[in-house]
Amino acid sequence: MILISIDEFAKKHVKSNPGVKIEDIKSRLENALERKNDGACCYQCGNPIWAIGSAVVGYDACFTCITGEADDSEDYEVE
């Protein structure tokens, strides 16, 4: 995964999703990152959660369970 700050990802997300308020996505990202750092696991498979994906979809899950993809090398994760 490509590491990105919460602020940078929030700016990109709002640019692509103009109906989303930047304060809302930043808050969701911060909460998801805190859960990840506390050891939260994917509800489906038990792997560590993907903080960005979990913040966007609204439930704790890993990259693969959210996207159906195995290769996360070109996707972002907040640091």
Side-chain angles (χ1 to χ4, degrees):
M1 294 208 134
I2 302 165
L3 296 178
I4 190 170
S5 72
I6 287 175
D7 288 335
E8 284 301 309
F9 182 80
K11 289 175 190 173
K12 289 178 180 290
H13 184 75
V14 169
K15 185 175 181 181
S16 298
N17 301 277
V20 175
K21 294 181 181 176
I22 196 161
E23 299 84 17
D24 292 341
I25 190 63
K26 285 172 76 172
S27 176
R28 293 194 318 254
L29 288 164
E30 289 166 356
N31 290 334
L33 183 57
E34 185 175 335
R35 290 191 310 278
K36 179 179 180 174
N37 289 340
D38 286 344
C41 295
C42 176
Y43 80 98
Q44 189 170 359
C45 72
N47 284 323
I49 66 168
W50 176 32
I52 286 177
S54 296
V56 171
V57 300
Y59 55 87
D60 287 349
C62 69
F63 177 84
T64 300
C65 289
I66 291 173
T67 66
E69 309 260 328
D71 181 10
D72 64 4
S73 64
E74 295 183 13
D75 289 277
Y76 292 114
E77 179 60 305
V78 288
E79 56 182 346

